[in-house]
Amino acid sequence: MASDPASVSSNGQDIVCQGDWTALQLDRAARDLRYLRPLPGDVEIDLSGVSRIDSTGAWLIYRAAHKWSKLGAKTRYIGLDDKTRELFELIAGQGIEPGDAPHPPAPGFLENLGRDSAEAARNYMAFLGFIGNATFSSLRILLTPARLRWSQVVVESEEAGFDALPIVGMLAFLMGIVIAYQGAVVLQQYGAGIFIADLVGLAMLRELSPLVTAIIVAGRTGSAYTAQIGTMKVTEEVDALRTMGIAPIELLVLPKIFALVIAMPLLTVFADLMGLLGGMIMANNLLDVSFQNFIDRLASEVTIADYLVGIGKAPVFALIIAAVGCYQGFKVSGSAESVGKHTTISVVESIFLVIVVDAIFSIVFSRMGI
Amino acid sequence: MAQPVVRMRDIVTRFGDKVVHDGISLDVERGEVLAVVGGSGSGKSTLMREMIMLLSPTAGKVEVLGHDVAGISELEALPLRRRIGVMFQHGALFGGQTVLENVGVPLREHTELHDDIVDELAQVKLTLAGLEPRTGALWPNQLSGGMRKRAALARALALDPELLFLDEPSSGLDPLSADALDELILQLRELLGLTVVMITHDMDSLWRAADRVVLLGEGRILGTGSMEELARSNDPDVKRFFSGPRARGAQTGGG
């Protein structure tokens, strides 16, 4: 029962509608209707040639007739059967005025600025509150360690730590190669090839290993924390926990924080090793520094303090990543879109904070002469 | 008689070892309101997912609007999907769009109608579904459960589909709203020639709105017929389902 798409024509005054006036066949008729302007006076809208009509088609004709009657035309439908008449009555009965659609208010620049500032301030207070809450819960749980969900800590640290070994190792290895490469060019000019061990050792152990590890963990694990807690919030699982008298922070947050604080220093040690390995291989290739010489030099020039400075940063970074990740998860509200938004914020914010804190560490350590 | 809108033959559905459907044959006739009932886990929703081309049965033949949908490509399915409206159990409104935009999505996607017209039509559908036009400016997470359902119905009606699928339309609605929804479905069927397939547990809806009821259980169809026929049935399975105190209450109250 294929029929022609909807069409509309006019003899200058009366309107004739023909064809299939259902939603998918209306494009041309809708365009034509916009440009029809009957003169004031009687206008007959002839629907006898309409083969099918649905509420979309009926609305198009109704809104056009509505517009014309505002311009002084007296519109009258002819040639419609009872069902179509009822359809028109149903649609007219909904009381919708053509041309005013309810949209959410669009605030101006100043209002947005004000709202965003207030929101940011509230946000930082809430984050502080969350940290306080988590700290308090941690202290309480440390008094009764049996209450901590240790099995979950183990699972979480496997996921955040052990499973991340390949990617962290790979990246640290490549970082070692890159540094050695960059250093080799300059050192070679001065015939000071052996200093490559100092360069790679200090750069990797003090700075790059913890940083690379933190960035990977933020992207891999912090985001997962946000998405998991966020989805649980959307599906009301967090509320369900609360009603059962289980503090979400104890079940969802503390095991993650403990797991990450344990896993990240270990990952950093692994990154140290892989970074040094990368540097060592490049030193051997480019500068003919043998593995033995490299290691000897490393042992004499890079101190245990340098190593501990790097490892010591890892738990701090872990705290930042876990806290930001979990906090953003709890901020999720309502929809899937919100989960995505807060996951992004979580990753960006935790990497940002990690780098800021790293900079502060550098200043403090240099003042202290470590 | 015109050919059925949906035709299912010997449908078998298995998830791993679990047999959900074990040889179900079912026709949905044009213009009828067909209700699918059955206990939890009886495969009602799965059957619906097979009718709306979200899932392929393990074996058997499904024809929708005269087309065999076995192995149909997305491109071939598109013209069919445009003629089908689906209201999901929890609404499935898009969280990033206002209610009005949600209802307008199918129109914007499949027609070239002007934005003003789409917005107006979306409002018409919202009021048809029993919501205030200004609800359109709200976000889905600002709606109550019942309002979300109505908004989802409005979206399912956006293209005036020939075939409307409703998953638990009245669950979560207060009795008055549920009655109004039944009325609305019947009215739309009358005016637009809708065919409606609904999954429901609501005995009142069954009595009031359904022309024919299909009872699923144990992977097959335990009984089919109008509510009066099923209520009189002597089949033990059918009796057990429709003779609980709730079912009887609905009969005396609604029928």
Side-chain angles (χ1 to χ4, degrees):
Chain A
M1 59 173 184
S3 54
D4 296 332
S7 66
V8 56
S9 55
S10 161
N11 62 2
Q13 189 60 10
D14 294 333
I15 309 287
V16 179
C17 299
Q18 278 174 317
D20 181 355
W21 282 73
T22 53
L24 298 173
Q25 305 287 339
L26 286 170
D27 295 340
R28 200 166 56 113
R31 227 174 14 250
D32 292 347
L33 268 179
R34 288 187 98 78
Y35 299 110
L36 283 180
R37 289 269 185 287
L39 301 168
D42 286 325
V43 177
E44 283 187 345
I45 302 174
D46 183 0
L47 299 177
S48 53
V50 172
S51 57
R52 282 204 303 165
I53 188 164
D54 65 7
S55 61
T56 310
W59 175 259
L60 273 187
I61 296 174
Y62 171 77
R63 82 190 290 275
H66 186 89
K67 199 172 68 186
W68 296 332
S69 43
K70 275 202 175 151
L71 298 172
K74 277 205 175 83
T75 56
R76 198 159 65 86
Y77 301 113
I78 60 169
L80 26 52
D81 54 26
D82 288 348
K83 272 196 180 173
T84 313
R85 186 172 297 282
E86 232 182 295
L87 184 62
F88 272 94
E89 279 165 12
L90 180 74
I91 278 174
Q94 302 306 318
I96 304 296
E97 273 287 302
D100 72 311
H103 287 293
F109 171 73
L110 274 182
E111 187 178 346
N112 269 332
L113 185 68
R115 273 180 201 282
D116 291 351
S117 312
E119 174 66 27
R122 256 201 310 273
N123 218 343
Y124 283 108
M125 292 309 290
F127 186 49
L128 278 184
F130 177 80
I131 291 178
N133 194 346
T135 312
F136 186 69
S137 303
S138 305
L139 291 178
R140 211 174 38 193
I141 230 160
L142 285 176
L143 292 177
T144 51
R147 274 180 61 102
L148 185 62
R149 288 152 214 272
W150 287 105
S151 60
Q152 214 186 330
V153 173
V154 173
V155 172
E156 299 269 8
S157 44
E158 184 190 335
E159 275 171 15
F162 184 76
D163 293 351
L165 282 177
I167 180 75
V168 167
M170 170 90 177
L171 278 185
F173 182 76
L174 290 176
M175 285 308 267
I177 287 180
V178 169
I179 294 169
Y181 232 113
Q182 298 298 325
V185 180
V186 181
L187 292 174
Q188 213 162 20
Q189 288 172 356
Y190 295 99
I194 190 64
F195 283 100
I196 195 81
D198 304 37
L199 178 67
V200 173
L202 288 175
M204 285 310 296
L205 297 194
R206 287 187 71 112
E207 283 299 330
L208 290 174
S209 290
L211 210 54
V212 165
T213 311
I215 289 172
I216 296 288
V217 168
R220 230 184 132 263
T221 311
S223 60
Y225 289 174
T226 310
Q228 188 210 333
I229 296 177
T231 311
M232 289 181 75
K233 257 207 96 180
V234 172
T235 55
E236 297 182 323
E237 286 171 61
V238 172
D239 295 336
L241 285 175
R242 252 190 215 121
T243 59
M244 287 185 262
I246 302 168
I249 220 160
E250 272 184 29
L251 184 73
L252 298 175
V253 178
L254 293 189
K256 290 180 168 46
I257 291 182
F258 279 85
L260 217 51
V261 168
I262 294 168
M264 268 214 18
L266 299 176
L267 272 178
T268 307
V269 172
F270 184 65
D272 284 345
L273 287 176
M274 295 303 286
L276 290 178
L277 185 66
M280 212 154 76
I281 290 173
M282 284 324 282
N284 196 9
N285 273 357
L286 293 174
L287 300 168
D288 292 325
V289 177
S290 73
F291 288 176
Q292 189 57 51
N293 286 349
F294 189 96
I295 292 171
D296 287 345
R297 176 76 191 175
L298 206 61
S300 66
E301 289 307 312
V302 179
T303 62
I304 192 82
D306 294 321
Y307 171 70
L308 289 180
V309 160
I311 304 293
K313 290 176 187 174
V316 180
F317 293 168
L319 279 176
I320 292 173
I321 293 167
V324 171
C326 294
Y327 170 71
Q328 288 296 338
F330 282 109
K331 290 267 294 172
V332 166
S333 67
S335 63
E337 205 198 13
S338 170
V339 177
K341 192 178 107 192
H342 285 283
T343 307
T344 310
I345 296 179
S346 147
V347 174
V348 172
E349 217 163 73
S350 51
I351 292 179
F352 172 76
L353 284 177
V354 161
I355 292 177
V356 168
V357 169
D358 192 45
I360 296 173
F361 269 130
S362 295
I363 296 169
V364 171
F365 286 147
S366 85
R367 284 285 167 84
M368 287 164 62
I370 304 175
Chain B
M1 181 155 230
Q3 66 168 353
V5 188
V6 180
R7 188 188 181 91
M8 303 186 98
R9 284 291 173 272
D10 308 313
I11 297 299
V12 177
T13 312
R14 271 192 297 267
F15 295 122
D17 291 340
K18 193 169 148 35
V19 178
V20 182
H21 303 136
D22 186 13
I24 285 183
S25 295
L26 173 67
D27 283 346
V28 182
E29 305 294 343
R30 187 168 290 277
E32 75 173 340
V33 177
L34 177 77
V36 180
V37 299
S40 304
S42 59
K44 306 181 295 280
S45 294
T46 309
L47 199 69
M48 186 172 116
R49 290 175 72 83
E50 288 167 357
M51 291 190 205
I52 56 182
M53 296 173 276
L54 289 179
L55 189 75
S56 289
T58 317
K61 193 175 156 93
V62 184
E63 273 178 31
V64 178
L65 299 164
H67 294 261
D68 188 348
V69 298
I72 194 171
S73 71
E74 275 303 309
L75 203 65
E76 293 165 321
L78 185 62
L80 294 180
R81 291 194 194 280
R82 285 177 182 167
R83 292 160 68 190
I84 295 177
V86 184
M87 173 186 146
F88 287 92
Q89 192 175 355
H90 301 290
L93 298 174
F94 306 124
Q97 301 182 329
T98 65
V99 172
L100 197 72
E101 286 164 346
N102 257 290
V103 177
V105 166
L107 285 162
R108 258 182 254 278
E109 191 61 34
H110 295 307
T111 73
E112 288 167 21
L113 294 175
H114 199 275
D115 273 351
D116 297 349
I117 300 180
V118 171
D119 282 346
E120 289 160 22
L121 276 164
Q123 288 179 78
V124 172
K125 307 285 149 132
L126 281 175
T127 52
L128 272 179
L131 289 172
E132 298 269 326
R134 61 189 155 77
T135 321
L138 298 178
W139 301 94
N141 58 9
Q142 294 174 302
L143 299 185
S144 72
M147 288 162 89
R148 205 169 300 176
K149 229 156 215 185
R150 285 156 180 279
L153 177 66
R155 190 176 67 183
L157 289 172
L159 285 176
D160 286 303
E162 290 165 49
L163 183 52
L164 181 64
F165 288 92
L166 308 172
D167 194 353
E168 304 264 352
S170 50
S171 75
L173 292 187
D174 62 88
L176 277 180
S177 309
D179 284 351
L181 197 68
D182 290 342
E183 282 302 312
L184 174 69
I185 290 167
L186 290 178
Q187 194 181 11
L188 290 174
R189 191 262 301 259
E190 195 60 39
L191 290 179
L192 305 174
L194 274 180
T195 306
V196 181
V197 177
M198 62 175 171
I199 292 175
T200 185
H201 282 122
D202 183 347
M203 288 295 166
D204 290 310
S205 283
L206 289 177
W207 279 104
R208 197 188 309 271
D211 300 319
R212 199 154 65 90
V213 177
V214 171
L215 173 62
L216 288 189
E218 296 157 28
R220 55 199 180 84
I221 293 180
L222 297 177
T224 172
S226 69
M227 263 319 280
E228 286 84 2
E229 286 163 15
L230 288 180
R232 276 201 308 269
S233 165
N234 284 322
D235 186 292
D237 292 322
V238 178
K239 256 194 141 125
R240 197 162 28 145
F241 195 85
F242 289 112
S243 62
R246 274 169 178 280
R248 281 206 302 273
Q251 180 179 6
T252 47

